[in-house]
Amino acid sequence: TATRDTLKMAPAISTVAVNPGIYAAAPGGERRPGRVSKASQRSSAPKVAPGGGRRALSHRRVEDGLSVSSETNRTSIITAAGVNVEQELARAENQLRAMLSPDTPAPSSSEVRAMRRKIADLKAGKVPSATGVSMPTPPPTSNGAANGQEMRDPRKELERLKRENEALLQLKELEMENLRLKNAPQADLDKKQQEMNTLLQKKQELAHVMELEENVRAKALAQKDQKAAQEKADQVAKQELEAMQRKEAQEAAQQAAEATAAQLEAEALAAATAAEESAEAQALAAQMEQKTEAESLATAEAAAAQAEAEAQTQAQRAAEIDAKAAQAAAEAEAAYLMEAERKALEAEQRKANAVSAEDDEAAMLAAAFGATQEKELVTAKVGAQEAEAGVEDFEAAALVTGDVGSMEHIRKKEAEERAKAEAKEAAAAAARAARAAMENAEAIKSATAVYKEKSDIYKSAEAEAAAAADARAKAIAEAKAKALAAAKAELARLQVVNKAETATKLRARNALTNQTLALGAEAKAKMAADSIAEAQSATEMAAASEISAVAERAALEAAVAVIKAIETAEEMAVIKRQTENDATEAKVNLDVLSSADPDAFRAHAAQAAHEKYEADLAAAEKAASDKQVAEKAATDRATSAKAAVEKAQFDKKDAETKAAKAIADDAAAKEAAAEEAAAAKAAAEEAAAAKAEAERIAAEKRAEEEAAAAEAAAVAARLQAMRERAEEDPLGACQEIDALVESGEGNAEDWAEARRQAEDTIGHLLHVVRAGTQPKIGDVWHVEPSEPVPGETLTIYYNAAATCLAGVKQYGSITCQSGCNNWESPEKTLMTPVKGRFKVNGKAVKAVKGSWWQKCEIDVPDEAFVMDFVFSDGGHQYDNNNRADYHIACEGAEEILEVERYEKSAELYYQLVEERIVREKREKERKERRDILRGIAKDKAAEVTRRQREHVLYVDPPQPRAGQTVRVHYNPRNTNLASSNEVYIIGGWNRWTHPDNIGPIKMVGQEGQSHVSAEFTVPDDVFKMDFVFASKPDGKGVFDNNNRLDYHVDILGGIDKATGEKLKEPPLHIVSISVEMAPIAKVGGLGDVVTSLGRACQEEGHKVEVILPKYDTLDYTAIQDFKEITGFSWGATYNRVFHGKVEDIDTYFIDPENGMFRVGMIYGTDYLEIPMTDAERFGFFSKAALEFMLQSKRQPDIIHCHDWQTAPCAKAYWEDYAPYGLNNPRVVFTIHNLNYGAELIQEAMTYSQAATTVSRTYRDEVSGHESIHENIGKFHGVVNGIDPDIWDPANDDFLPRYYDETEVIEGKAACRAALCAYSNIPNKPGVPMVGIVTRLTPQKGVHLIKRGVMRALERGCQVILLGTAPDPTIQQDFDMMFHQLKQNHHDFMAFHLYYNEPLSHLIYAGSDLLLVPSMFEPCGLSQLIAMRYGTVPVVRRTGGLNDTVFDYDVDHKKAEWEGMKPNGFSFDGMDDGAIDFALDRAINLAYDKPKDFRALQANCMSQDWSWNRPALEYIEIYHAARKPY
């Protein structure tokens, strides 16, 4: 059965087959079938994909020590489900063709062999078909990455095969050309030719198949078109039938509609008739109802009740006067009508009987008209020239009736009647004469009665006219009083308005803002009180306005009453005058009737009547004119009164609205005050708790400090006591220290170090003492006495002839150089020759022919244990006993040294303990300082983030609390919702995990403001508010989700309902898989990011682990507690796993026993003889890291893989591990440099849930790259930071002194002096120092670096460069440049063309300017480190350089946006002029304004470029990657 190990050997890239068995597997490396562990069961069991299929894997075959597995190779080239052999074969052959192309660099032999082996396997058909393999489908990403389709378009498939056939033909041509160039055998050429012939034959067959396919396609299309035409015809016929049916139905419906319309018309006519009958009743009812409503409304107006009552009283009085006047007018008019009737009767008596009927009808009409018009006197002008009295009477009657339109009819009828009367007159002449006497007698009687009646009426009308005049005067007086009251009310209203406006202006002047984000309870209460005062002022103003309106209305009503009284009086006067005229006329008529000459009196009466009529007409016209004037005045006053009433009503409603608003504001203010009070109380409680906690911490700290001080004092006392005991008993002291170390009270490291140092000093001397005199006493030298005594003299005898100094005898003498205790107290003594025989220590020295003995005396120091000697000729020729020197032990030295060694060990231990205590105390203080600075920097970063977010949203209060109300303010104009008509907020709590939701809530705004807002209550058990904004509430509109990160706000005071404890956000478990990690395996910036980001996330409370290859080049001194913990068999080898702490981060090291990472380097195996490339090694490691997590049962939240080296983790995780148990993590992928591994990067971009790069500008620069653009939606730019603990001038041991931003001048001056001394150039403090720390590669702008060096030297600056060039040509160019410039600028420049970490620290600290002219720079750390050390960067505006360096002259707004100040100089171009412009501006500032330049350096040091903000951004990206949608 195939094991799962073979599957894990898939290579890092799908186009290279992996051969992990290059090295023989260790014994036990393969899993035994008998093991029953879960991992073994999973490995040996059939591997079932999510779809249910199983990929069958064969065993590996081992031949000649190499592991060969066709199944592994076949598996390795499958990149996604649905990809077949032909596609992989075409891709592989294209890649091989590119490798062999003369336009590309020559590939390694291993790459060519691997590619050819892969092509051979593909041609042999060793890859299973797509239907036989079930590949797990990766989870859906934002781009909707999907598997390949199993069914393809035949035409497209044939075209693809044709393209691949042509590509293969081109490849074969290249292969044949390559073989010809290599002079390959003819057999190989023939074989290639046969393959080409086969491909040509396939090409012909393919063309034939394509032709057949085209024919089939054309036929199918024709059939399809025919079928479509038939279907269309059927459809047309069907539509015509349906149209006919619809037409018939429409005709029937029309007939029915006509019948129905007729019926409805009849019903409507009946209804109209009924409506007409009820219209008047309804109108009357409506008028009554309106009147009732008006009276109710008037009654409801409490403020105007009294004024309205007075107005009603005046109205009643005016109505009474009006009624009296109307009654008088009616009586006068009735009298006038009676007189008119009398005249008509008299005319009828004079005319025919027929005419009398018409006169009666006219009199009836006049009576009816007078009854309906109670208040109007109707007069009409008639012609005074009518000869006939009957015509005059008829016209008078017509004028009385006012029916001017019937005059023609009357005249016509009169003519007819006149003709009849004339016809009858002759016949009835006698009869009329007889009746005349009788009629005259009756007329006289009737005139007498009428005259008496008119006299009575006249008297009554005169009395009533006098009463009307009195009422008129009274009404005028009351109107004047009302007008005065209205004026006073208006004045009061204006005073109230002025008072309100003044109060409003004062409030507007005193109020700082009406849109304050957070108001205290007192401020809100004051605002509520102001609102209430304003409402009261508005109420007073409305009341005054209403009183004014009522008074004005009352004045108007009084004026109307006056007008009516005037009209009544005038009417009464007219009636009186008319009555007088009527009485006079009656008297005249009576006189006429009683006169003897009736005709003369009749003519005189007619003349008088005409004159009376003219006077009456003039009086009537004047009365009508006066009435019109009065009516117009009344109308104007009515309009004014109506406007005043409307204004009063409006003011009242406005006052009521303001009062309601004030009440609501007051309630809201009280509620807000209550909430504020509750919040204040909670804040006070929290502050009290914080204060108590701070006091507790301070007390604990004081107690700790006191305890530490006491402990230090105790330790010092104990050490002093131990020192004193050690002086008396050194051996006992050492034994006591041994006991303390064994018990754990002592420090084992300090004791080991003390013993080592003592052994290096005392032990060495003891070894010399025990070894005896060296060399032995004899032919070369003698000493007297044989054991030197400290404090006495020692005589040295030396035979130069027996040594290398034998030749000195011919030209000089011998010098003895002596010292003690390993050359302490050195001295030189000139030796003198010994003549003749001599004795040493009482023994004669044997004379040897040619001997040349010299002697000297030296004083033995009192502290000497061992004397040290060498001999010389006084110059450069020495005899040092073959580099062992001459030694002799002093008397009793061994015993003393034994004791001294114990004393030295004990004393060194005590000294190391004291130093460690001081060091730990200092480190603790530095850590506390760093923690304080880090807290300040984090607060600043959070504030900058909040401030940057305010242009989009802010919340009120700024720090919401659980259980309280929060209002979110959002500005859609600055987002993608700028064009939306509506905005909705949709959200949740606790990273969308809480059961409660927010909204959708429609956000509302105020006119003239850009922000909209929504308010809601925060639940009690939350710690985070999460929300997005949308244009529609149904989830189908446009969303603003903060580039897929959503918006989040921290909530304070949340309580866990289950436990009652304070809520806080659960930590994430993050595993970073990387091939670099600073400082143990660092090549570039990748290692710094992995370590620094891990530390920053860990400081935020999250769990961080790193998985790294165990290189044989690791810096093990930087790993704490390094040890092997476990191992696992996988990939045809056994993988040992080690654990250790690197910068306090848990780090796991994978060490495969196949030797992949035991090659003496991190990168570069592509150029070694071994057939394993970097891509294959790191591909193996990527999957081994996943296997380790699976077998160790880890379930992290995030797997963070970095760059192309670990990019295979993304695809391997979803295809080979997520379906088999490792299913909790989500993948985040970071691109550090897109110049390498683009294919692997594209794969990781597809399979990861979120992706990042190392700066925002670099993200924009590479967003169009083919590896990225399809997944741009989940691609974020986060600027890298630096670790402030590693790069800290206040704690950098590589510097001659520590300094911070308060000591920038002194600190940098000391560092510059040390830098110049190291570089062997004089220090010139008066000129700027330009530093360059870089790799000398084209990416870093080599030509601009050269130009920058030249320009700086031209401006008189000093320049120091540190860097290496991987390209020997570039390295040589800079070496030559240095030697050329050194001739003229030897005091101003130094090039260090090598890597030196301590020197880089010194350049960062000692330089004034740092030059970074990169062509492209994903992030860049040099400029960040330089600013940390107070060095001003001069950079090219690209990538991360653009995001971190703000030009001193032009980037003030940009710096302000980041919460900073300008910190450097930048340029855009790539030519000499561009860099000269930026460098000149920086140098000019240093020369011309040194004080400003030093302030700029201090500003650079004060800026926070740590991982505080980037870590928070990464944490948000981690959470976004884990969202379920």
Side-chain angles (χ1 to χ4, degrees):
T1 303
T3 65
R4 196 169 161 277
D5 298 340
T6 57
L7 177 62
K8 300 306 165 194
M9 285 308 301
I13 56 176
S14 61
T15 58
V16 181
V18 174
N19 187 357
I22 294 171
Y23 303 94
E30 292 289 334
R31 295 175 177 163
R32 295 183 176 88
R35 294 176 66 181
V36 294
S37 67
K38 186 174 181 180
S40 300
Q41 292 174 359
R42 179 180 49 75
S43 300
S44 60
K47 184 175 181 180
V48 180
R54 166 72 188 173
R55 289 185 284 188
L57 306 174
S58 66
H59 282 293
R60 298 182 180 273
R61 294 180 292 105
V62 179
E63 298 176 358
D64 299 330
L66 298 178
S67 175
V68 181
S69 175
S70 61
E71 291 298 329
T72 300
N73 292 335
R74 282 181 287 181
T75 304
S76 67
I77 64 173
I78 297 176
T79 58
V83 179
N84 55 25
V85 179
E86 289 80 359
Q87 289 177 310
E88 287 298 323
L89 179 59
R91 188 180 295 110
E93 289 177 338
N94 288 335
Q95 292 176 355
L96 181 59
R97 180 178 59 196
M99 287 181 178
L100 299 177
S101 173
D103 298 331
T104 58
S108 63
S109 58
S110 61
E111 293 179 4
V112 176
R113 287 198 303 272
M115 188 60 68
R116 287 176 175 167
R117 183 166 60 248
K118 176 181 176 182
I119 292 173
D121 291 341
L122 289 169
K123 289 180 178 178
K126 295 183 180 180
V127 179
S129 64
T131 57
V133 177
S134 179
M135 300 293 290
T137 302
T141 64
S142 61
N143 296 358
N147 296 333
Q149 297 179 355
E150 295 182 358
M151 298 301 294
R152 299 177 181 271
D153 183 15
R155 182 65 181 178
K156 293 182 180 179
E157 195 69 18
L158 289 172
E159 291 176 353
R160 183 186 62 79
L161 292 175
K162 180 180 179 182
R163 290 193 299 270
E164 292 179 356
N165 184 272
E166 292 174 354
L168 290 174
L169 283 172
Q170 294 176 3
L171 180 61
K172 293 302 178 184
E173 291 174 358
L174 289 174
E175 290 179 354
M176 290 188 67
E177 183 66 20
N178 192 18
L179 291 175
R180 292 191 188 97
L181 292 174
K182 294 180 179 180
N183 297 323
Q186 186 62 35
D188 294 342
L189 293 172
D190 294 339
K191 182 178 179 181
K192 292 296 180 183
Q193 186 62 44
Q194 290 177 1
E195 293 176 357
M196 284 192 64
N197 294 337
T198 303
L199 290 174
L200 289 171
Q201 183 179 359
K202 288 184 177 179
K203 182 178 180 181
Q204 295 175 356
E205 295 175 357
L206 183 61
H208 180 64
V209 171
M210 291 181 69
E211 183 179 0
L212 292 176
E213 193 274 340
E214 185 67 24
N215 294 335
V216 171
R217 183 186 293 270
K219 185 176 180 181
L221 289 175
Q223 293 177 354
K224 184 177 180 181
D225 293 340
Q226 183 179 2
K227 183 178 180 181
Q230 183 63 35
E231 291 177 354
K232 186 174 181 180
D234 295 339
Q235 186 176 3
V236 169
K238 183 178 179 181
Q239 291 176 352
E240 291 178 352
L241 179 60
E242 292 175 352
M244 292 178 64
Q245 294 175 353
R246 285 196 300 271
K247 184 177 181 181
E248 294 175 355
Q250 289 176 356
E251 292 176 353
Q254 183 175 3
Q255 294 175 358
E258 291 176 354
T260 304
Q263 182 179 359
L264 291 174
E265 184 177 0
E267 294 176 355
L269 182 59
T273 304
E276 289 177 357
E277 293 174 354
S278 63
E280 294 180 359
Q282 291 177 356
L284 181 60
Q287 290 178 358
M288 294 299 294
E289 184 178 357
Q290 289 177 357
K291 185 176 179 181
T292 304
E293 290 177 356
E295 291 176 355
S296 299
L297 179 61
T299 305
E301 296 175 353
Q306 184 175 358
E308 289 179 356
E310 294 176 358
Q312 289 176 0
T313 304
Q314 294 295 331
Q316 289 176 359
R317 293 176 180 175
E320 292 174 358
I321 295 171
D322 191 22
K324 291 180 180 179
Q327 183 177 1
E331 292 175 353
E333 191 170 355
Y336 177 76
L337 291 175
M338 290 177 65
E339 179 63 20
E341 183 179 0
R342 185 190 63 76
K343 290 181 179 181
L345 291 174
E346 184 180 0
E348 287 176 357
Q349 291 175 1
R350 291 196 304 267
K351 298 177 183 179
N353 291 331
V355 175
S356 62
E358 296 296 333
D359 291 341
D360 292 336
E361 183 179 357
M364 292 176 63
L365 289 173
F369 181 79
T372 56
Q373 300 291 333
E374 295 179 356
K375 294 183 180 180
E376 295 184 3
L377 179 63
V378 180
T379 60
K381 184 178 181 180
V382 296
Q385 302 299 326
E386 291 291 336
E388 296 289 335
V391 174
E392 180 182 354
D393 293 338
F394 278 113
E395 288 183 356
L399 288 173
V400 172
T401 60
D403 190 3
V404 180
S406 61
M407 290 298 297
E408 292 296 330
H409 172 73
I410 294 173
R411 289 171 179 168
K412 185 178 180 181
K413 194 170 184 179
E414 177 191 0
E416 293 176 355
E417 293 296 331
R418 196 165 47 247
K420 292 179 181 179
E422 289 175 355
K424 293 179 180 180
E425 187 175 358
R432 284 200 306 272
R435 288 194 300 269
M438 187 181 294
E439 289 177 357
N440 287 333
E442 291 179 357
I444 291 170
K445 183 178 181 180
S446 175
T448 303
V450 169
Y451 175 77
K452 185 179 181 180
E453 183 179 1
K454 292 293 184 179
S455 298
D456 295 337
I457 293 174
Y458 169 74
K459 293 179 181 178
S460 175
E462 186 175 8
E464 290 177 355
D470 295 339
R472 173 186 176 186
K474 186 176 181 181
I476 291 172
E478 291 179 354
K480 289 181 179 179
K482 293 295 182 180
L484 180 61
K488 291 181 179 180
E490 180 67 15
L491 179 61
R493 185 184 69 83
L494 292 176
Q495 290 175 349
V496 173
V497 170
N498 187 29
K499 179 181 176 182
E501 290 179 353
T502 303
T504 302
K505 290 179 180 178
L506 288 175
R507 284 194 297 274
R509 186 182 302 116
N510 295 331
L512 294 177
T513 175
N514 197 25
Q515 298 177 353
T516 308
L517 298 181
L519 290 174
E522 183 177 356
K524 289 190 175 180
K526 185 176 182 303
M527 178 175 285
D530 293 341
S531 299
I532 293 174
E534 182 179 359
Q536 290 175 352
S537 299
T539 304
E540 293 175 359
M541 181 173 68
S545 177
E546 188 170 3
I547 292 172
S548 174
V550 170
E552 187 174 358
R553 184 171 58 189
L556 174 64
E557 292 174 353
V560 171
V562 170
I563 292 171
K564 289 183 178 180
I566 292 172
E567 290 178 350
T568 303
E570 289 176 350
E571 290 175 358
M572 293 299 294
V574 170
I575 292 171
K576 178 181 178 182
R577 187 167 57 252
Q578 187 174 0
T579 304
E580 290 176 352
N581 295 336
D582 290 343
T584 302
E585 184 180 1
K587 183 69 172 58
V588 170
N589 291 333
L590 180 61
D591 294 341
V592 169
L593 292 175
S594 60
S595 174
D597 192 359
D599 293 335
F601 278 100
R602 185 177 295 110
H604 179 73
Q607 181 65 30
H610 177 72
E611 292 176 356
K612 176 185 70 68
Y613 177 79
E614 290 292 338
D616 291 343
L617 182 61
E621 289 178 352
K622 183 178 183 302
S625 176
D626 293 341
K627 182 178 180 182
Q628 289 179 355
V629 172
E631 287 177 350
K632 184 176 183 303
T635 303
D636 293 341
R637 296 295 294 177
T639 303
S640 176
K642 183 178 179 182
V645 171
E646 291 177 351
K647 185 176 183 303
Q649 292 176 351
F650 175 80
D651 291 341
K652 181 178 180 181
K653 290 181 180 179
D654 184 61
E656 291 175 350
T657 302
K658 289 183 178 180
K661 183 177 182 302
I663 294 172
D665 291 342
D666 181 57
K670 290 180 179 178
E671 183 179 357
E675 292 182 356
E676 290 277 347
K681 182 179 178 181
E685 293 176 353
E686 186 174 353
K691 182 179 179 181
E693 181 67 15
E695 292 176 352
R696 183 187 66 78
I697 294 174
E700 290 180 354
K701 185 177 181 180
R702 286 195 300 270
E704 290 178 358
E705 291 176 350
E706 293 173 357
E711 184 180 358
V715 169
R718 187 165 63 249
L719 289 176
Q720 183 61 31
M722 292 175 69
R723 278 195 176 97
E724 294 174 355
R725 287 196 299 271
E727 292 177 357
E728 299 175 358
D729 184 9
L731 178 60
C734 291
Q735 291 174 348
E736 181 181 5
I737 294 173
D738 284 333
L740 289 174
V741 170
E742 291 178 0
S743 64
E745 296 182 15
N747 190 284
E749 294 181 359
D750 290 344
W751 181 228
E753 179 63 19
R755 294 174 64 180
R756 184 190 65 77
Q757 293 184 19
E759 189 64 30
D760 288 345
T761 56
I762 308 301
H764 171 72
L765 297 176
L766 189 58
H767 174 72
V768 172
V769 169
R770 288 173 177 172
T773 304
Q774 295 292 334
K776 298 298 183 182
I777 298 296
D779 296 337
V780 177
W781 76 315
H782 291 277
V783 295
E784 187 178 13
S786 58
E787 288 186 348
V789 178
E792 297 184 2
T793 302
L794 178 66
T795 303
I796 308 297
Y797 296 88
Y798 176 71
N799 183 11
T803 67
C804 61
L805 299 179
V808 177
K809 183 178 181 181
Q810 301 178 2
Y811 58 84
S813 58
I814 301 299
T815 299
C816 175
Q817 298 186 11
S818 63
C820 69
N821 303 340
N822 198 15
W823 293 103
E824 294 179 359
S825 305
E827 291 183 359
K828 288 184 179 181
T829 306
L830 185 64
M831 303 187 76
T832 60
V834 179
K835 298 180 180 179
R837 296 178 182 273
F838 63 95
K839 291 182 180 181
V840 178
N841 296 323
K843 294 182 180 180
V845 176
K846 183 179 179 180
V848 179
K849 185 178 180 179
S851 297
W852 185 40
W853 287 94
Q854 303 280 315
K855 76 171 183 178
C856 67
E857 291 183 355
I858 62 173
D859 293 329
V860 180
D862 294 338
E863 67 274 9
F865 299 107
V866 175
M867 295 301 297
D868 311 308
F869 306 94
V870 296
F871 303 94
S872 71
D873 63 351
H876 299 288
Q877 191 172 356
Y878 287 86
D879 172 17
N880 57 9
N881 188 24
N882 197 22
R883 297 188 178 182
D885 297 342
Y886 290 78
H887 303 285
I888 185 170
C890 295
E891 181 181 21
E894 183 173 0
E895 293 79 4
I896 296 175
L897 284 175
E898 278 289 347
V899 176
E900 185 73 16
R901 184 173 65 172
Y902 291 127
E903 289 180 352
K904 188 70 173 178
S905 298
E907 180 59 32
L908 285 173
Y909 174 74
Y910 304 146
Q911 181 180 347
L912 290 174
V913 169
E914 289 177 343
E915 292 176 353
R916 179 174 54 79
I917 292 173
V918 173
R919 186 172 62 253
E920 289 177 351
K921 181 180 179 181
R922 179 185 172 193
E923 181 61 30
K924 182 179 179 181
E925 292 174 352
R926 284 162 52 188
K927 183 178 183 302
E928 291 176 352
R929 174 179 174 272
R930 287 197 302 268
D931 291 342
I932 292 173
L933 293 177
R934 184 181 296 112
I936 294 173
K938 288 175 66 175
D939 292 341
K940 287 183 178 179
E943 176 62 22
V944 170
T945 301
R946 184 195 63 78
R947 183 175 53 77
Q948 288 180 345
R949 197 175 62 180
E950 280 185 354
H951 81 289
V952 174
L953 70 92
Y954 64 91
V955 296
D956 183 17
Q959 290 186 338
R961 299 188 62 87
Q964 297 183 3
T965 300
V966 62
R967 178 172 289 275
V968 178
H969 302 264
Y970 176 68
N971 185 3
R973 296 182 183 178
N974 294 332
T975 69
N976 59 334
L977 297 182
S979 60
S980 299
N981 296 326
E982 295 180 344
V983 176
Y984 295 84
I985 183 172
I986 304 172
W989 311 95
N990 297 351
R991 300 286 182 186
W992 303 96
T993 61
H994 196 274
D996 294 345
N997 295 323
I998 301 173
I1001 301 175
K1002 183 177 179 180
M1003 307 187 76
V1004 296
Q1006 297 181 0
E1007 185 177 354
Q1009 295 186 358
S1010 59
H1011 283 75
V1012 293
S1013 64
E1015 188 176 72
F1016 43 86
T1017 302
V1018 181
D1020 295 329
D1021 56 342
V1022 299
F1023 58 83
K1024 186 80 70 175
M1025 179 169 66
D1026 320 295
F1027 50 92
V1028 299
F1029 302 97
S1031 61
K1032 294 183 179 180
D1034 55 1
K1036 295 182 180 180
V1038 180
F1039 282 85
D1040 172 17
N1041 59 4
N1042 193 22
N1043 195 22
R1044 301 194 179 188
L1045 299 180
D1046 300 343
Y1047 292 96
H1048 306 280
V1049 174
D1050 292 330
I1051 302 297
L1052 303 178
I1055 302 297
D1056 190 335
K1057 292 183 178 180
T1059 63
E1061 297 179 353
K1062 184 178 179 180
L1063 276 173
K1064 60 180 180 179
E1065 186 168 2
L1068 292 170
H1069 181 189
I1070 306 160
V1071 174
S1072 191
I1073 302 177
S1074 175
V1075 299
E1076 291 187 40
M1077 185 180 186
I1080 60 174
K1082 174 185 174 182
V1083 176
L1086 169 60
D1088 291 315
V1089 172
V1090 171
T1091 304
S1092 300
L1093 176 59
R1095 288 186 59 183
C1097 292
Q1098 196 163 264
E1099 289 173 358
E1100 292 295 327
H1102 303 282
K1103 180 180 180 182
V1104 179
E1105 296 176 331
V1106 176
I1107 301 179
L1108 193 74
K1110 184 180 177 295
Y1111 303 106
D1112 53 359
T1113 58
L1114 289 175
D1115 181 7
Y1116 292 99
T1117 61
I1119 307 175
Q1120 292 78 40
D1121 301 329
F1122 183 75
K1123 60 184 176 181
E1124 184 175 358
I1125 59 170
T1126 185
F1128 59 93
S1129 294
W1130 178 84
T1133 189
Y1134 185 77
N1135 300 271
R1136 302 165 68 192
V1137 179
F1138 295 78
H1139 174 266
K1141 291 272 191 178
V1142 179
E1143 297 291 336
D1144 202 33
I1145 299 174
D1146 285 313
T1147 308
Y1148 296 88
F1149 304 85
I1150 295 180
D1151 182 21
E1153 291 188 349
N1154 59 16
M1156 283 186 174
F1157 303 107
R1158 302 172 189 172
V1159 293
M1161 62 184 67
I1162 296 177
Y1163 302 106
T1165 58
D1166 294 3
Y1167 303 98
L1168 298 181
E1169 292 298 327
I1170 63 173
M1172 181 63 69
T1173 65
D1174 285 344
E1176 292 170 329
R1177 292 165 60 233
F1178 296 141
F1180 176 92
F1181 164 71
S1182 299
K1183 297 180 182 179
L1186 296 173
E1187 184 71 19
F1188 166 63
M1189 284 191 283
L1190 179 65
Q1191 294 204 23
S1192 62
K1193 295 181 173 55
R1194 276 174 167 75
Q1195 291 288 350
D1197 298 304
I1198 295 295
I1199 295 175
H1200 194 166
C1201 44
H1202 299 265
D1203 239 349
W1204 67 271
Q1205 298 94 327
T1206 56
C1209 289
K1211 179 181 178 182
Y1213 168 73
W1214 287 111
E1215 291 193 350
D1216 297 331
Y1217 289 92
Y1220 302 101
L1222 183 63
N1223 53 13
N1224 181 61
R1226 296 296 179 265
V1227 180
V1228 175
F1229 174 63
T1230 296
I1231 300 173
H1232 296 265
N1233 194 330
L1234 192 58
N1235 272 16
Y1236 308 98
E1239 185 176 351
L1240 289 173
I1241 288 175
Q1242 183 176 11
E1243 180 182 273
M1245 287 289 295
T1246 301
Y1247 281 84
S1248 61
Q1249 281 62 66
T1252 68
T1253 191
V1254 291
S1255 70
R1256 295 182 294 274
T1257 300
Y1258 188 66
R1259 174 196 179 274
D1260 298 336
E1261 292 173 350
V1262 302
S1263 59
H1265 194 277
E1266 61 180 358
S1267 302
I1268 295 174
H1269 72 90
E1270 293 182 354
N1271 297 279
I1272 191 65
K1274 58 182 174 183
F1275 191 40
H1276 306 272
V1278 181
V1279 178
N1280 281 346
I1282 57 174
D1283 194 324
D1285 294 340
I1286 297 175
W1287 300 100
D1288 184 8
N1291 186 32
D1292 194 334
D1293 293 331
F1294 292 133
L1295 304 183
R1297 62 158 289 178
Y1298 301 147
Y1299 68 97
D1300 56 18
E1301 59 268 22
T1302 63
E1303 305 171 319
V1304 60
I1305 298 177
E1306 299 83 359
K1308 291 186 71 66
C1311 294
R1312 174 170 180 158
L1315 176 62
C1316 291
Y1318 184 92
S1319 302
N1320 196 25
I1321 61 174
N1323 183 17
K1324 298 181 179 295
V1327 302
M1329 173 69 76
V1330 179
I1332 303 171
V1333 180
T1334 184
R1335 288 182 296 110
L1336 299 174
T1337 62
Q1339 173 196 344
K1340 301 299 181 179
V1342 170
H1343 70 290
L1344 293 177
I1345 292 174
K1346 293 179 179 179
R1347 177 57 194 172
V1349 171
M1350 294 299 299
R1351 186 59 179 170
L1353 293 174
E1354 291 172 0
R1355 296 295 307 275
C1357 302
Q1358 289 185 295
V1359 180
I1360 293 182
L1361 181 147
L1362 173 64
T1364 59
D1367 187 344
T1369 303
I1370 298 177
Q1371 184 85 3
Q1372 185 178 1
D1373 288 346
F1374 275 89
D1375 190 52
M1376 293 177 62
M1377 180 181 181
F1378 169 71
H1379 289 291
Q1380 292 171 359
L1381 294 176
K1382 197 67 177 175
Q1383 297 177 4
N1384 298 324
H1385 304 281
H1386 53 84
D1387 288 346
F1388 288 86
M1389 61 165 297
F1391 283 7
H1392 304 281
L1393 301 177
Y1394 50 84
Y1395 177 74
N1396 187 315
E1397 180 72 15
L1399 180 58
S1400 68
H1401 287 243
L1402 201 57
I1403 293 175
Y1404 287 130
S1407 300
D1408 296 311
L1409 301 170
L1410 186 83
L1411 187 60
V1412 191
S1414 301
M1415 293 295 96
F1416 70 92
E1417 193 67 67
C1419 179
L1421 299 178
S1422 302
Q1423 78 280 10
L1424 303 181
I1425 298 170
M1427 289 188 285
R1428 177 72 170 154
Y1429 284 75
T1431 299
V1432 179
V1434 179
V1435 305
R1436 183 173 175 272
R1437 210 189 309 265
T1438 181
L1441 301 176
N1442 181 52
D1443 292 337
T1444 55
V1445 178
F1446 313 126
D1447 192 274
Y1448 184 80
D1449 295 321
V1450 298
D1451 285 340
H1452 293 272
K1453 291 292 185 181
K1454 183 178 178 183
E1456 183 181 357
W1457 173 255
E1458 297 293 339
M1460 300 181 182
K1461 297 180 180 179
N1463 54 14
F1465 298 88
S1466 57
F1467 61 96
D1468 294 303
M1470 301 181 185
D1471 56 352
D1472 294 352
I1475 189 172
D1476 287 353
F1477 178 69
L1479 197 56
D1480 283 345
R1481 289 187 292 126
I1483 295 172
N1484 290 340
L1485 184 65
Y1487 277 137
D1488 301 339
K1489 298 180 180 179
K1491 190 173 182 180
D1492 293 347
F1493 186 78
R1494 295 303 180 190
L1496 176 59
Q1497 290 180 312
N1499 172 56
C1500 290
M1501 290 193 70
S1502 66
Q1503 293 180 352
D1504 177 27
W1505 293 108
S1506 68
W1507 279 92
N1508 287 328
R1509 284 184 64 188
L1512 297 178
E1513 293 182 41
Y1514 266 105
I1515 290 169
E1516 289 301 323
I1517 292 172
Y1518 291 155
H1519 282 293
R1522 289 199 58 79
K1523 286 196 305 184
Y1525 54 88

